[in-house]
Amino acid sequence: VYKRQMYCCTKINNDIIWIGVNDRKTERFENYIPLDNGVTYNSYLILDEKICIIDGVEEGENGNFLGKIEAMIGTAPVDYIIVNHVEPDHSGSIKNMLKIYPEIKVVGNAKTIMMLKLLGVDLPDERIVVVKEKDVLDLGKHKLTFYLMPMVHWPESMATYDMTDKILFSNDAFGSFGTLDGGVFDDEVNTDFFTDEMRRYYSNIVGKFGAPVNAVLKKLSSVEISCICPSHGLIWRKYIKEIIERYQKWANMEPTKEGVVIVYGSMYGHTAEMAEVLGRELGNRGIKDVIIYDSSKTDHSYIFSTIWKYKALILGSCAHNNDIYPKMEPLLHKLENYGLKNRYLGIFGNMMWSGGGVKRIKEFADTLTGLEQVGEPIEIKGHVTPAERDRLIELANLMADKLIADRK
Ligand code: FEO
């Protein structure tokens, strides 16, 4: 007999309850990605002969989280906490849970246990259940098994699969930023917001690990899935096929839409002026999605996410101390680190007496072999003259030609 629900807990089905929490307080995920729309730490309680919790929450949300557990089960013991992933947004609850539930056993793979110990969690052997790929944890009615997901996005990452109800607890995979303010399931909300926040999550957090994501998608392709319960954001039960297809494209760094992202760094407005010319001409050619970012203003996590979406990228920079503009460099560095590919690339920039910005973007283009450079880099001095305007229009037209040709 369980206590009447007082906190916001949501049934996934008769035995499985979402006991996750909304975090609207934390400013930045991993201390660098803005959480303008908040984030959830999803956790799931399975009520069976053995009581099991799948994933915890971030330490600062423990009060709310532990209150939910108590509201659901009162003083009943918890038998297992499954740790699909050790990153502290999910494992921040473990120390408290070990204190509150003296019988609880921590379930994870060998790397999970090693990493929890690295985070200072005291784990005597009698409190550990080490699992391997496809081992089965029998809760009574529910039989759980495990799929290792190395580098999606840590070495110990794994998914838990409920063989009884065909539910995949996928941890970070298929997760998104954004709090759950109304519905919890994908068929209860307008998913546009979560689609964008899922891509921002994927591109920034998981985006480097396309090969491991492909391996996991292959592994799961023969698994029947009725519901995907990630550790962040919406629970997917209606659009499972669609989000798996989206993940497949992202894993291969394939764009999902025609369009051009223009990102520039500009001190006095000349490079910005060049971006305006490019954008307007692309619009004249019927390219409907043209998105221009000032790298000084928009957080790079949003720029990164938009780059993941569109086929074409045009990068521009003024010169700064014989180098690229300082707000452009981190973006290029991250794109190099993630190995961006399958994109058309245009290059432009500005200088007053000696360059540096365009030179650095050309180096970037040469480093990433999966980019197809369109036209020649355009570097001008100062304001845009009519002749230079024509050169920019030509570059925009070359880019538009590429995109339009791809429609066939
Ligand atoms: Fe949601 Fe990799 O932590």
Side-chain angles (χ1 to χ4, degrees), residues 126-164:
E126 63 272 18
R127 303 202 77 171
I128 296 170
V129 177
V130 178
V131 293
K132 302 186 298 301
E133 175 99 1
K134 295 208 179 156
D135 278 358
V136 174
L137 184 69
D138 191 342
L139 303 181
K141 175 183 166 192
H142 293 268
K143 322 285 183 208
L144 306 180
T145 191
F146 306 93
Y147 292 100
L148 302 185
M149 306 193 300
M151 298 321 295
V152 183
H153 72 117
W154 273 21
E156 90 304 356
S157 294
M158 66 179 194
T160 298
Y161 177 66
D162 180 353
M163 296 187 286
T164 311

Side-chain angles (χ1 to χ4, degrees), residues 29-30 40-41 85-90 152-154 156-157 171-172 201 205 231-232:
F29 194 77
E30 295 180 347
T40 66
Y41 312 114
H85 178 30
V86 175
E87 199 166 10
D89 52 330
H90 310 293
V152 183
H153 72 117
W154 273 21
E156 90 304 356
S157 294
N171 196 263
D172 281 346
Y201 187 92
I205 308 288
S231 57
H232 301 289

Side-chain angles (χ1 to χ4, degrees), residues 251-255 335 338-343 368-371:
N252 295 328
M253 280 193 206
E254 290 172 10
L335 288 169
Y338 281 46
L340 183 72
K341 60 184 179 181
N342 299 325
R343 297 294 186 282
L368 292 176
T369 53
L371 303 179

Side-chain angles (χ1 to χ4, degrees), residues 346-382:
I347 301 172
F348 68 103
N350 207 289
M351 63 168 164
M352 292 299 281
W353 60 90
S354 68
V358 165
K359 179 168 170 281
R360 170 68 181 101
I361 301 173
K362 281 163 72 178
E363 286 169 6
F364 162 85
D366 292 341
T367 302
L368 292 176
T369 53
L371 303 179
E372 181 181 338
Q373 201 178 317
V374 175
E376 290 298 314
I378 300 174
E379 186 167 39
I380 70 173
K381 285 187 174 180

Side-chain angles (χ1 to χ4, degrees), residues 57-282:
V57 304
E58 194 268 338
E59 191 172 10
E61 294 293 334
N62 265 340
N64 195 4
F65 173 60
L66 297 168
K68 286 189 177 197
I69 299 172
E70 189 186 3
M72 291 306 303
I73 65 171
T75 56
V78 177
D79 296 283
Y80 300 113
I81 168 78
I82 296 176
V83 180
N84 279 324
H85 178 30
V86 175
E87 199 166 10
D89 52 330
H90 310 293
S91 70
S93 318
I94 304 297
K95 285 181 185 172
N96 273 336
M97 293 184 82
L98 287 166
K99 282 184 202 149
I100 294 168
Y101 299 104
E103 302 88 353
I104 200 168
K105 286 190 163 44
V106 175
V107 182
N109 59 66
K111 287 181 181 160
T112 314
I113 305 305
M114 178 269 289
M115 287 184 162
L116 282 171
K117 289 179 179 175
L118 286 178
L119 292 183
V121 179
D122 184 21
L123 280 177
D125 287 350
E126 63 272 18
R127 303 202 77 171
I128 296 170
V129 177
V130 178
V131 293
K132 302 186 298 301
E133 175 99 1
K134 295 208 179 156
D135 278 358
V136 174
L137 184 69
D138 191 342
L139 303 181
K141 175 183 166 192
H142 293 268
K143 322 285 183 208
L144 306 180
T145 191
F146 306 93
Y147 292 100
L148 302 185
M149 306 193 300
M151 298 321 295
V152 183
H153 72 117
W154 273 21
E156 90 304 356
S157 294
M158 66 179 194
T160 298
Y161 177 66
D162 180 353
M163 296 187 286
T164 311
D165 290 335
K166 317 288 184 210
I167 296 176
L168 183 72
F169 299 92
S170 59
N171 196 263
D172 281 346
F174 309 111
S176 53
F177 293 126
T179 49
L180 296 171
D181 296 345
V184 165
F185 293 96
D186 57 355
D187 51 14
E188 296 176 335
V189 302
N190 181 341
T191 56
D192 291 350
F193 163 79
F194 284 101
T195 301
D196 285 343
E197 283 293 68
M198 181 189 243
R199 192 182 57 255
R200 190 164 72 99
Y201 187 92
Y202 180 90
S203 58
N204 283 279
I205 308 288
V206 191
K208 183 177 170 66
F209 306 109
V213 172
N214 266 320
V216 168
L217 291 174
K218 190 173 175 198
K219 188 187 285 192
L220 294 177
S221 62
S222 57
V223 178
E224 186 183 348
I225 299 172
S226 67
C227 185
I228 295 179
C229 294
S231 57
H232 301 289
L234 275 185
I235 295 167
W236 302 88
R237 65 183 176 189
K238 182 176 181 186
Y239 299 111
I240 292 172
K241 181 169 166 280
E242 286 82 356
I243 65 157
I244 289 176
E245 284 172 358
R246 200 174 302 146
Y247 248 61
Q248 189 68 72
K249 287 218 166 210
W250 290 341
N252 295 328
M253 280 193 206
E254 290 172 10
T256 54
K257 204 159 188 288
E258 177 191 286
V260 183
V261 186
I262 302 174
V263 192
Y264 67 81
S266 182
M267 276 184 285
Y268 310 119
H270 299 133
T271 314
E273 188 185 353
M274 296 173 78
E276 296 282 346
V277 174
L278 290 165
R280 199 65 66 213
E281 184 61 16
L282 286 161

